[in-house]
Amino acid sequence: MTSEHSSSTSEHRLRRLRERLGGIAYGGDYNPEQWPREVWDEDVRLMKEAGVNLVTLAVFSWSWLDEIMDLLHANGIGVDLATPDAVPPAWLIARYPDILPVLADGSTFGFGSRQHFDVSHPAYREKSLAMAERMGERYASHPALCMWHVNNEYGPVSYGPHADRAFRAWLQEKYGDLENLNQAWSTDVWGQRYSDWSQVNAPAQPRTWSNPSRRLDYHRFTSDSMLAHFKEERDILRRHTPDLPIVTNFMRFYKNNDYWAWAAEEDAAALDIYPDPREEDAHVAAALNFDLMRSLRQGQPWLVMEQATAAVSQWSVNVSKLPGKMRLGSYQAIAQGADSILFFQWRQAKGGTERFHSGMVNHAGPNTRVFREVCELGRELKGLAGITGTRSGAKVAMVFDWDCWWSLELGNSPRSDLNYPQEVLRLYRPFFDANIPLDFVDTSADLSQYSLVVLPATYLLTDQAAQNIEDYVAGGGRLVASYLSGIVDQDNTIRLGGYPGALRNVLGAWSEEMHPLAGEGEAVKLNTADGGTASADYWTEHLHTITADVLASYSSGRLAGGPAVTRNTFGSGTATYLSARVDGTYLAELLAAERTAAGIHPELDSPLGVQARRRTGNGRSYLLVLNHNDAPARVDVGQGGVDLLTGAAVNGSVELAANGVLVLQEPSTANTSSETGL
Amino acid sequence: MTSEHSSSTSEHRLRRLRERLGGIAYGGDYNPEQWPREVWDEDVRLMKEAGVNLVTLAVFSWSWLDEIMDLLHANGIGVDLATPDAVPPAWLIARYPDILPVLADGSTFGFGSRQHFDVSHPAYREKSLAMAERMGERYASHPALCMWHVNNEYGPVSYGPHADRAFRAWLQEKYGDLENLNQAWSTDVWGQRYSDWSQVNAPAQPRTWSNPSRRLDYHRFTSDSMLAHFKEERDILRRHTPDLPIVTNFMRFYKNNDYWAWAAEEDAAALDIYPDPREEDAHVAAALNFDLMRSLRQGQPWLVMEQATAAVSQWSVNVSKLPGKMRLGSYQAIAQGADSILFFQWRQAKGGTERFHSGMVNHAGPNTRVFREVCELGRELKGLAGITGTRSGAKVAMVFDWDCWWSLELGNSPRSDLNYPQEVLRLYRPFFDANIPLDFVDTSADLSQYSLVVLPATYLLTDQAAQNIEDYVAGGGRLVASYLSGIVDQDNTIRLGGYPGALRNVLGAWSEEMHPLAGEGEAVKLNTADGGTASADYWTEHLHTITADVLASYSSGRLAGGPAVTRNTFGSGTATYLSARVDGTYLAELLAAERTAAGIHPELDSPLGVQARRRTGNGRSYLLVLNHNDAPARVDVGQGGVDLLTGAAVNGSVELAANGVLVLQEPSTANTSSETGL
Amino acid sequence: MTSEHSSSTSEHRLRRLRERLGGIAYGGDYNPEQWPREVWDEDVRLMKEAGVNLVTLAVFSWSWLDEIMDLLHANGIGVDLATPDAVPPAWLIARYPDILPVLADGSTFGFGSRQHFDVSHPAYREKSLAMAERMGERYASHPALCMWHVNNEYGPVSYGPHADRAFRAWLQEKYGDLENLNQAWSTDVWGQRYSDWSQVNAPAQPRTWSNPSRRLDYHRFTSDSMLAHFKEERDILRRHTPDLPIVTNFMRFYKNNDYWAWAAEEDAAALDIYPDPREEDAHVAAALNFDLMRSLRQGQPWLVMEQATAAVSQWSVNVSKLPGKMRLGSYQAIAQGADSILFFQWRQAKGGTERFHSGMVNHAGPNTRVFREVCELGRELKGLAGITGTRSGAKVAMVFDWDCWWSLELGNSPRSDLNYPQEVLRLYRPFFDANIPLDFVDTSADLSQYSLVVLPATYLLTDQAAQNIEDYVAGGGRLVASYLSGIVDQDNTIRLGGYPGALRNVLGAWSEEMHPLAGEGEAVKLNTADGGTASADYWTEHLHTITADVLASYSSGRLAGGPAVTRNTFGSGTATYLSARVDGTYLAELLAAERTAAGIHPELDSPLGVQARRRTGNGRSYLLVLNHNDAPARVDVGQGGVDLLTGAAVNGSVELAANGVLVLQEPSTANTSSETGL
């Protein structure tokens, strides 16, 4: 989590950025190279109309830069300058065709899309860094330059010879002796023992299924190898511009890269957020990702780097956001800690793959609902400058961990449809619904500051992580762990002696067998300790208590009579185990009881679908209230404050319109539950 | 549409063919090489029993030809002689393995199927043309020879090095300067700019999605490159036999080849028609394809080159045609302009892939329902010689355009399930149901002869095409255009300023955003201008009128209150825009109102499922009435005429049996609505 | 079916094995290399607790063997020693990368799974045989050695150059002259004629569909080429240990290998049986496979080589067997002729792909339900030593034939979802339900010993096979054949003149056309000769009788009035033809009538789901009664006998618990319906 580029320096850079932009960053990707020169002037005029103060340039190209940067600067618009190495150009691919990534089946991607590089290719590495060097040289002192945007949505995996070589080097660095690798990968199973390093390579398509420990290491390697490239570029740019933030853009629920490791190397977490409007609860999954971004750098404000004004083009059916939803989603990001609202992209492309991805200015031009909403939001955000730099606090921590994600979904397990984000989302939702802010943490985090810690399907736990959790509970913490936690060690090897091996002690319970429920809708009944009933589906276990008490037990099915949910007193704390996927109502009750016992209360009592978050710092406190419902909702904001969107004082019971938003600056006496930021 | 091989010469050739065959061509593919010599004599005996007058030889082989051509000639059966280059032989593939087509993922098809050639391979090109030369030399003066059949179902696409080279040459020819290609392909998007022609190649598998303009050009190239091969072979054969028709066989709803360009180079359009009997309305889609064939050469009679007597073998379940359906489908083709009824194939194969594809003589032999139906039809067709050479006319034109097909279905668009044939079929069906004949046209056609022009999802319109349509309406025409028309220009680049860019002026309306409806069965309600109601699903748009009147507006959903269907007066004409997929009942009403206003009346008033078509020429007029229903139907044929199938005079109200057919030769005073043919 | 390794010598070897083990073999795969040395001692201790007398060693590795074999021997546990060539090691693959199998699309499997070899590769062949030689030398005289286990689950197919070469050699051996191959493969269809042997190769991915006769030969080749490898290894091991059984393990419903040919070369059929607990009737399909194993070597006892104690890891959801089901399934195998109960594997792996495949000792250790059931079963089996070596007889024969399987499922046929095992299972089930034992036979078997012979979709019949069946019926036999029998000859060429060509004579009926029913749930009605009604779905035919009587005819659909089920008197016998897939109730009635007429009676009258099988020999008779229901069931066992599981005498009406088992040793006067074994 630590790095030579420490968080305090990042905060310095971000504060400078805020000061320069005068508040919330507003704008988006800008690709003037797609348009004739005369359009640029109209662009800048419309940007000013829309309140744009920052655009991202050069993500996919970088000729023409001098002129446009001058033009933007002359109009008071800052530039987030990208290095274009997400798209190695045609001439480079023609010279080094093996830069193109190789699939597991040995076939090669062709030129003509994007992210078509094997990051381990020496010429790709050399040329992309040389380009960063030249951009740094040329633009370091350009007055428009505000920030650097390295590459774009890092992600491509390759199985070609360059990846083989780099993976081998990564493994040698990790394991030292080949025997250690043989042990870690259980190569004695299926006779896969390696006798020489030269035999080790990327896990190409297997005849049936390939070694799960090897594949876990390949996930780790691909994340690390791309991060190494990022760091090399960052160091070059840092040398030229020590005071500017350097970031790359993350994606929603993105499996390939371990964003904990990545965020530690950046000045801010930056997210591309494209919820699918067809999903009724898309805002809940968005909230999870927003809290994850906020948490990746321990509460530091983060950046919305891309979102869409209306429709995107990657879904099977691309529904446009309903009027008001883009604004609502923007305020949701701000409420959860974002200091920017940037779009992909300024002007909707008229050609190319993403020609139907909406922009701030769409095909039809500025006389449209979308551009009017863009301008209105730009106007509103100008009044919210004070919120930048403020932070939120939380007393609940939930683990989100890429090692767990990777190892849980490797297949050949009790069920092949295991989905880590879904498991996290299932435990996240009750907290969201109840307006309980939470921080995500990795398994090595200092947990002592939290009153409640939740482990959703935290499948892989190292010895240290297990000890960390055990120490937390022993020291008086409250733990809630769900099934499929603590099953394997760092090598993806099963911890023996009864599941969940790493948590058996702290949970005071063990399972002798996993019992996934097969059928669609197959469920079993539960009796709860307080005389109620509940149900479980998808997952059950043949659980035994050691020292734990039973909170719920099966009343039907093959496990009838046995425990399903237990709570153990361990040291000064308690540890609750959900060994079954219990129904949502009971889950919410259980978690409510836990947080009440931990002394944690909602940010605001509100009807379902009304989200409230508080940001504080610099002596100020802001309460944002968001109505995600398509109908009006009434909430009691208590003493309230001044609604920065209207200037009106608001208190007591107030009605929010459908998709309505309140941004209340609270009186300085407000009892803030959060740490004070910068 | 024009070519050195002009239509008048083709008509001369086809007239000679008709005279020679004595009327409708009847027969099919004949593969005697699959059978011992003694079977050939039985074949010829059964062919005569069945009334066969033409067989297609040598589609997949050509030894043994001398003997069989002599035998057929001795029995009065003509030969449509094929060049066998759809199946380059094993020895050629062994010598030049890279003749085999390469898939987008770089893997190669193996030998052992058919159409296993990359048409751009020099040796394939050379050897296939040499073969055509030799066949021309040897058989030009054989008395059995009636017609040439080049290749078979052209279609294979390749992504290998020969295709790369040929594609590059095709692009150089088209664009001249590389900068023009960069512009046309919007290569500034995603940094895909080419700096040297050597960097340009076929669109192999992309990492995410590839450039849509490049893929559109690849569609055009593959069609053109195969057509170039056809033309080379045709020119060789033409030199040897200037008076014989030369064709290749087309397929139903076949996307790979632009049949407008192809048909212009042939003496007749020729169709392989395999409707799936499992589809209840297979005859409607068949009708569409028949009208398309009739239209491809401006009404000239066309050829049924292949159909099945009973079952085929390519579907997941291969249902045999019900008794009478093969006969009915044959008369449907004739009613819609066909002058031949040919089958694939004469004798059902006993081995090979298509062993379960039915023949005129099946596995069980001649003592079967199928062969009896074949013989009966052969007998009937002898009495219909006079119909050959006659034509049909239409006052309605509907656009069918391969550029639209290709560009509409490239993905990354508002919905990924866009299906061009379905869009055309949806607008075609009301005309079919109402017995209104229509011509298909491409977007450059002279529209002035039509009283109504329909554009179904005519996505790509060049500037000239757009002008052509505008001129038509300005000059007094009636236009009906559906959503997703006029969206892009010839480069597949969006026309800006509001959809549909190319038609905004003539329609007097514009859309600021597309709003596909996501859910299965999701629909919105409409109020119509005459006080009625209707509904729409699948597609809606945020439409604004400029000068147009509103015919229907939304009464539910996000667009409630806004216009859905509009009609604009433009110059002396009117233009109706269906910006939503309205329900079938309302669609039929709208189109009925349009054609009534245009003075277009049904060929015959008849119950649903009873099709009536008229063919006229040479002073004669024929009215064909076809009952596609599985129950009897009653129609009023007015003054009627002589039923050529029974010899009886028929007039007034008459009952057609289930699947029954009338072929009425009308009195010479009949008021024919069609142009007179040869 | 005959081989130099005759069945009598195999029986000698198996008798020695039984004597040595003292009865039923009990144990499983043991992979001590996956565990530290100290675990081995615990393993052996627990094995003795569980009653293990045989373990399989070295399936995937073979270092450490000396020590463990000594340890096992010292504890009285025998060893089934495997040759590890299912997993060619990393160093060998590094040296000869083209040992890896090639897929039809030309891509290659990577190292890191198992069965990653092209059996035709010379170096693989040489190295694997050298290894067998060394293992034979070293362990031939080791006192623990009881049996050899060659390779593991043979199966990989390759399309690479080594397979090409070997396939060509196999074809040259089969056809001699290339013209014979051209004839057999119908290469005149689609112009696929070969002019030189060098042009012939494995059927790589075809552009559309490839030649079905070629693909049939490729199936035969892959089975033969792997069998050749097995025989080479077997001969080496036999030289070292002439008295030990040598086997490889078969799989459930495994299509790739013709187990008739394989079993003839082994000392015993050996099965890996993994029914999916999610399938309600998994025990019926298991029964079919058990009867097949029993039949493959003409009734000789066979071996359960692998099963799971609880869950496996290869399904989408891996449900654990319910308590008692593992025991029940074990007794079912014994009831159907097995002399061993072996598991994969002893100790559940903690790493590698199969880490979630249950073992005899699971992750949680021995204090579990599973290990307790393992121990209880081990104890029980000790009392059943006398059953080993006994056999069962049957008066019903059903054909199960790999040529039929391969040729039926090649596609491009009347329906693409044809599934040979499902067709066999459909006819097998009524016999299972009625407790009628049956033998599986191939089409060349001597049928004279059977009172009833059933042909389920016996698609391919050679002339000799057809004659064999005709002779059987003519000599007084009773035949029941279902649709899709007798359609093609040995080359997969259709037999002409009406279906089913090979059986038309004996059935006294012929079909002119196949009429598959398309829709899900589409069915037609039948009237039966005795005035009843029935129905048919999936398959019907346009059938005509010649000499046959009609047992059921269609009363709806296009074939209404025509025959569906016929019975023909032929010579002294009768032949019934099911030309339609009739409903299960009518099918059961028909088959009951047939077997009653043939004088065949149930082993025991029992409620549905209660299976009864008898094994006899050595003057003893055992009746095993198995309740597959999850509820108790009552049966009348007549004079009964001593239940070897309880020692109690049992007769008359008795209640079996859910999943309960009786193993009755009958009084020596018992009227046994079976042949006496050893």
Side-chain angles (χ1 to χ4, degrees), chain C residues 5 68 80 151 179 331 366 395 476 574 629 638 657:
Chain C
H5 303 276
I68 191 68
D80 170 32
N151 205 289
E179 180 55 27
Y331 281 111
K395 292 183 175 167
T574 68
N629 301 301

Side-chain angles (χ1 to χ4, degrees), chain B residues 351-622:
Chain B
T353 297
E354 295 184 304
R355 63 208 180 283
F356 286 108
H357 183 115
S358 61
M360 299 168 80
V361 181
N362 282 336
H363 289 151
N367 180 23
T368 56
R369 171 189 71 82
V370 164
F371 190 67
R372 283 186 291 272
E373 290 193 16
V374 164
C375 292
E376 287 160 18
L377 181 60
R379 265 192 301 278
E380 287 182 358
L381 292 181
K382 291 218 184 304
L384 302 185
I387 207 169
T388 61
T390 60
R391 296 183 170 217
S392 304
K395 291 182 175 169
V396 180
M398 181 174 286
V399 168
F400 193 104
D401 184 271
W402 269 261
D403 265 354
C404 292
W405 193 345
W406 294 327
S407 51
L408 187 72
E409 297 182 357
L410 287 172
N412 286 92
S413 51
R415 56 188 315 144
S416 61
D417 58 353
L418 294 172
N419 181 305
Y420 182 68
Q422 287 306 316
E423 296 296 328
V424 178
L425 186 57
R426 191 168 173 86
L427 291 191
Y428 177 85
R429 179 186 294 265
F431 293 98
F432 177 86
D433 287 345
N435 279 326
I436 309 292
L438 62 73
D439 288 346
F440 284 102
V441 295
D442 69 6
T443 58
S444 68
D446 174 11
L447 303 174
S448 62
Q449 60 183 300
Y450 296 106
S451 308
L452 179 61
V453 170
V454 182
L455 306 186
T458 308
Y459 184 76
L460 183 155
L461 285 176
T462 64
D463 293 347
Q464 296 92 322
Q467 191 63 51
N468 187 36
I469 290 162
E470 204 166 298
D471 290 348
Y472 164 72
V473 179
R478 300 190 76 86
L479 179 73
V480 174
S482 75
Y483 51 87
L484 284 169
S485 294
I487 303 298
V488 299
D489 68 12
Q490 64 189 9
D491 297 323
N492 202 9
T493 302
I494 303 283
R495 291 178 177 280
L496 302 178
Y499 314 115
L503 299 171
R504 212 159 47 223
N505 203 29
V506 71
L507 295 176
W510 68 285
S511 286
E512 64 173 275
E513 217 178 348
M514 298 166 174
H515 287 305
L517 299 184
E520 189 68 33
E522 185 182 347
V524 291
K525 293 179 184 169
L526 304 178
N527 287 332
T528 64
D530 59 4
T533 61
S535 67
D537 64 1
Y538 189 81
W539 192 269
T540 64
E541 286 175 7
H542 189 170
L543 186 67
H544 302 278
T545 55
I546 308 167
T547 55
D549 299 321
V550 176
L551 296 191
S553 56
Y554 298 103
S555 60
S556 75
R558 68 189 292 170
L559 301 171
V565 181
T566 58
R567 183 183 292 133
N568 192 42
T569 301
F570 184 82
S572 312
T574 68
T576 297
Y577 183 46
L578 306 171
S579 79
R581 189 169 86 170
V582 300
D583 66 85
T585 303
Y586 179 50
L587 176 65
E589 287 170 16
L590 272 172
L591 294 176
E594 287 293 321
R595 62 175 165 80
T596 302
I600 305 168
H601 301 292
E603 205 72 82
L604 193 76
D605 283 316
S606 65
L608 194 68
V610 176
Q611 179 184 8
R613 292 293 177 108
R614 187 169 270 115
R615 289 181 68 169
T616 60
N618 304 319
R620 290 190 294 273
S621 176
Y622 302 88

Side-chain angles (χ1 to χ4, degrees), chain C residues 25-303:
Chain C
Y26 189 61
D29 282 62
Y30 180 38
N31 294 302
E33 69 275 22
Q34 299 175 15
W35 304 94
R37 176 62 184 81
E38 59 270 23
V39 173
W40 299 9
D41 296 314
E42 188 196 7
D43 282 340
V44 172
R45 185 177 59 74
L46 291 174
M47 283 179 191
K48 289 170 80 173
E49 182 177 337
V52 166
N53 57 15
L54 183 69
V55 296
T56 303
L57 281 183
V59 168
F60 298 126
S61 180
W62 76 302
S63 46
W64 48 264
L65 264 181
D66 290 1
E67 183 175 0
I68 191 68
M69 287 184 71
D70 291 346
L71 177 64
L72 290 165
H73 181 64
N75 284 276
I77 298 165
V79 168
D80 170 32
L81 188 58
T83 59
D85 39 274
V87 285
W91 65 265
L92 187 64
I93 298 299
R95 194 173 302 167
Y96 304 101
D98 58 344
I99 284 178
L100 294 169
V102 175
L103 287 82
D105 67 2
S107 70
T108 299
F109 288 120
F111 177 81
S113 178
R114 57 177 187 175
Q115 272 89 18
H116 47 277
F117 60 86
D118 177 347
V119 79
S120 301
H121 192 288
Y124 172 75
R125 207 69 166 241
E126 176 198 328
K127 300 292 182 188
S128 57
L129 297 181
M131 168 71 80
E133 186 74 49
R134 288 181 56 201
M135 293 183 81
E137 281 165 17
R138 187 174 189 91
Y139 296 109
S141 55
H142 194 288
L145 187 65
C146 294
M147 181 159 62
W148 290 100
H149 176 296
V150 173
N151 205 289
N152 180 61
E153 297 182 348
Y154 271 101
V157 178
S158 181
Y159 295 82
H162 299 289
D164 280 346
R165 182 185 41 71
F167 183 41
R168 206 175 293 129
W170 183 91
L171 292 166
Q172 284 177 307
E173 170 78 19
K174 174 173 181 179
Y175 289 110
D177 194 89
L178 184 56
E179 180 55 27
N180 294 335
L181 177 150
N182 278 314
Q183 285 298 324
W185 288 11
S186 296
T187 58
D188 279 322
V189 178
W190 286 8
Q192 297 177 355
R193 176 165 284 274
Y194 298 95
S195 58
D196 190 275
W197 277 107
S198 65
Q199 297 156 8
V200 182
N201 50 25
Q205 64 179 341
R207 183 166 178 279
T208 53
W209 305 282
S210 67
N211 185 308
S213 300
R214 182 185 177 204
R215 285 169 63 203
L216 173 58
D217 267 347
Y218 205 67
H219 277 298
R220 289 162 169 159
F221 158 73
T222 55
S223 176
D224 282 1
S225 62
M226 282 184 277
L227 178 54
H229 180 259
F230 169 82
K231 286 161 66 178
E232 288 165 4
E233 265 199 50
R234 178 205 57 191
D235 291 348
I236 290 167
L237 300 172
R238 180 74 79 226
R239 197 162 23 78
H240 289 287
T241 57
D243 291 331
L244 295 188
I246 305 174
V247 304
T248 189
N249 45 348
F250 290 168
M251 288 174 275
R252 171 181 177 272
F253 284 135
Y254 191 68
K255 187 174 173 179
N256 280 13
N257 291 331
D258 176 355
Y259 284 155
W260 289 109
W262 283 69
E265 301 293 342
E266 306 194 54
D267 287 312
L271 180 68
D272 298 349
I273 179 73
Y274 295 109
D276 186 341
R278 293 176 299 176
E279 293 172 14
E280 199 177 336
D281 289 337
H283 65 285
V284 184
L288 192 164
N289 281 274
F290 293 165
D291 277 338
L292 180 59
M293 290 300 124
R294 189 178 48 75
S295 302
L296 284 173
R297 290 185 56 83
Q298 294 76 49
Q300 181 188 291
W302 55 281
L303 304 173

Side-chain angles (χ1 to χ4, degrees), chain C residues 305-326:
Chain C
M305 188 56 84
E306 293 184 14
Q307 68 172 352
T309 56
V312 297
S313 61
Q314 70 256 45
W315 312 123
S316 59
V317 182
N318 293 289
V319 172
S320 176
K321 290 174 179 173
L322 282 166
K325 286 288 188 192
M326 179 273 283

Side-chain angles (χ1 to χ4, degrees), chain B residues 35-275:
Chain B
W35 303 95
R37 176 63 185 80
E38 60 269 24
V39 173
W40 299 9
D41 296 315
E42 189 197 6
D43 282 340
V44 172
R45 185 178 59 73
L46 292 173
M47 284 180 191
K48 291 169 79 172
E49 183 177 336
V52 166
N53 58 16
L54 183 69
V55 296
T56 303
L57 280 183
V59 168
F60 299 125
S61 179
W62 76 301
S63 46
W64 48 262
L65 264 180
D66 290 0
E67 184 176 0
I68 191 69
M69 288 185 69
D70 291 347
L71 177 64
L72 289 164
H73 181 64
N75 284 275
I77 298 165
V79 169
D80 169 32
L81 189 57
T83 59
D85 38 273
V87 284
W91 66 264
L92 188 64
I93 298 300
R95 195 173 303 168
Y96 305 99
D98 58 344
I99 285 177
L100 294 169
V102 175
L103 287 82
D105 67 2
S107 70
T108 299
F109 287 121
F111 178 80
S113 177
R114 57 177 187 174
Q115 272 90 19
H116 47 275
F117 59 87
D118 177 347
V119 78
S120 301
H121 192 287
Y124 172 75
R125 207 69 166 240
E126 176 198 329
K127 300 293 180 187
S128 58
L129 297 180
M131 169 72 79
E133 187 72 51
R134 287 180 57 200
M135 292 183 80
E137 281 165 18
R138 186 173 189 95
Y139 295 110
S141 56
H142 194 288
L145 187 65
C146 292
M147 181 159 61
W148 290 101
H149 177 295
V150 172
N151 204 290
N152 180 62
E153 297 182 346
Y154 272 101
V157 178
S158 182
Y159 295 82
H162 299 288
D164 280 346
R165 184 186 39 72
F167 183 41
R168 207 175 292 130
W170 183 92
L171 292 166
Q172 285 177 307
E173 171 77 20
K174 173 172 181 179
Y175 289 110
D177 194 88
L178 185 56
E179 180 54 27
N180 294 334
L181 177 149
N182 278 313
Q183 284 297 325
W185 288 10
S186 295
T187 56
D188 279 322
V189 178
W190 286 8
Q192 297 176 356
R193 175 164 285 274
Y194 299 95
S195 58
D196 190 275
W197 278 106
S198 65
Q199 297 156 7
V200 182
N201 52 23
Q205 64 180 341
R207 183 166 179 279
T208 54
W209 306 283
S210 67
N211 185 307
S213 299
R214 181 185 178 202
R215 286 169 61 202
L216 173 58
D217 266 348
Y218 205 69
H219 277 298
R220 289 162 168 158
F221 157 73
T222 56
S223 176
D224 281 3
S225 63
M226 282 184 277
L227 178 55
H229 180 260
F230 170 81
K231 286 161 67 178
E232 288 165 5
E233 264 199 50
R234 178 204 59 192
D235 291 347
I236 290 167
L237 300 172
R238 181 75 79 225
R239 196 161 24 78
H240 289 287
T241 57
D243 291 332
L244 295 189
I246 304 174
V247 303
T248 189
N249 46 348
F250 290 169
M251 287 174 276
R252 172 181 177 273
F253 284 135
Y254 190 68
K255 186 175 176 180
N256 281 13
N257 292 330
D258 176 356
Y259 284 154
W260 289 110
W262 282 69
E265 302 293 343
E266 306 193 54
D267 288 311
L271 180 67
D272 298 348
I273 179 72
Y274 295 110

